[in-house]
Every structure is written in C-alpha cells, then in structure tokens.
C-alpha cells in the first residue's frame, strides 16, 4: 500500500515540477524586461564598521557606501563595496524600471534548481511521511501482536501448570 501511494506520488511530483518551471520561466521573461544593470559611482570611501571587530572567522571585508547612479533620472542609495574602496569607484548594480535598487533577475539556472528542488523535494517529503506512517503503524501492530502472544502463553501456562 505504501509503495503504491509512493508510486502514485511520482506523477504528482513531475506535475509540481513542471508547473513550477512554467511559472519561473514566466518570471525570468518578466524580469529580463524589468531589471536593468547600471553603473553606480560611490561617493564615500568604504570603511569597516567600527562595531564589527575582527573574529576568528575573519574581519569585515565589505561595507555599505553611499553611491549615485543614473537610470531614467538621477538616484542615490547604498551599495556594497569592499572595505578600502575609494570614493568614485564604479560598481555594477541592478535597478527596476523606476531606477530603484533591486535584486538581479533570476536566471535559467535558478529555474532549474527550483524545479529540481520542488520535484525531488515533494517526492521525498511525501515518501518520508508515508514511510514514517508505515513504520509507526507496523511498530504499533507488532507491539500488540507481541502482547497478545505474551497473554496467550501466560494463559496456557496458568491452565496447564503442575501446581
């Protein structure tokens, strides 16, 4: 029964992965049109945060600095730069259609990773749930059967005792 349900989950996992791929590919197409790479110019030097002390894992290597960029008007904001980067350094950033900072657009690789994760993840999640339920039910039934055997043996010995 468990393996039958698991086998039936396979087409459902494929369907989930395919629908995820379709939705993500639509996002790729939309973001390709609405996200733009521009060059920001830092207006201050990138300095390490005084509160961020070096640790055994390393020192602070990047900092947020003020910068300006032009895309459908002049904009300013914060960008990330390596500590020690002087003012006037050009840094590539991504902006949306209004020129505000945004994340880079998702790529085909991102779509493939999300699709794979959804497909295999849903299959293994349901498989784990089904196998866990099977193991729990089997454990409970085995315990009941053992208790039944113990009672039957005790009753047999009580009825056939020599005393």
């Amino acid at each position: 029964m468990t393996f039958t349900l698991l086998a039936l989950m396979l087409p459902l996992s494929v369907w989930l992965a395919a629908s995820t791929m379709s939705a993500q590919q639509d996002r790729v197409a939309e973001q390709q049109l609405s996200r733009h790479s521009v060059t920001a110019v830092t207006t201050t030097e990138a300095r390490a945060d005084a509160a961020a002390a070096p640790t055994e894992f390393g020192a602070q290597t990047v900092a947020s600095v003020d910068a300006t960029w032009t895309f459908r008007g002049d904009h300013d904001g914060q960008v990330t730069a390596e500590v020690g980067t002087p003012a006037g350094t050009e840094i590539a950033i991504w902006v949306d259609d209004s020129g505000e900072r945004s994340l880079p657009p998702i790529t085909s690789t991102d779509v493939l990773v999300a699709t794979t994760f959804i497909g295999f993840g849903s299959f293994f999640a349901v498989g784990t749930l089904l196998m866990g339920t099977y193991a729990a039910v089997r454990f409970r039934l085995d315990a009941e059967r053992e208790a039944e055997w113990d009672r039957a043996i005790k009753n047999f010995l009580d009825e056939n005792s020599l005393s």
Side-chain angles (χ1 to χ4, degrees):
M1 173 76 169
T2 300
F3 293 108
T4 302
L5 291 173
L6 196 56
L8 292 174
M9 183 58 196
L10 194 57
L12 183 59
S13 295
V14 170
W15 176 79
L16 284 171
S19 64
T20 299
M21 179 175 265
S22 174
Q24 293 295 319
Q25 285 176 332
D26 291 345
R27 276 186 70 195
V28 167
E30 182 267 322
Q31 287 185 3
Q32 294 286 335
L33 298 174
S34 67
R35 306 271 172 101
H36 312 279
S37 179
V38 298
T39 302
V41 178
T42 60
T43 57
T44 58
E45 179 184 347
R47 295 186 180 168
D49 184 10
T55 66
E56 63 186 73
F57 301 111
Q60 182 179 358
T61 58
V62 294
S64 292
V65 295
D66 293 327
T68 60
W69 61 90
T70 303
F71 183 81
R72 297 183 180 162
D74 291 334
H75 300 276
D76 59 5
Q78 298 241 311
V79 297
T80 304
E82 291 186 27
V83 171
T85 300
T89 302
E90 294 182 347
I91 298 174
I93 62 170
W94 288 92
V95 298
D96 59 18
D97 284 334
S98 64
E100 297 300 318
R101 288 285 315 266
S102 69
L103 295 173
I106 61 174
T107 64
S108 298
T109 303
D110 297 330
V111 171
L112 182 61
V113 169
T115 300
T116 304
F117 180 76
I118 293 295
F120 285 118
S122 63
F123 182 75
F124 287 121
V126 170
T128 301
L129 181 65
L130 289 172
M131 295 306 282
T133 302
Y134 171 78
V137 168
R138 181 170 177 168
F139 177 79
R140 177 79 171 127
L141 292 175
D142 286 348
E144 284 181 22
R145 186 180 65 241
E146 290 293 326
E148 220 174 281
W149 271 102
D150 288 343
R151 281 192 302 277
I153 291 170
K154 183 180 182 302
N155 288 340
F156 175 77
L157 291 175
D158 286 346
E159 290 172 4
N160 297 309
S161 68
L162 296 174
S163 54

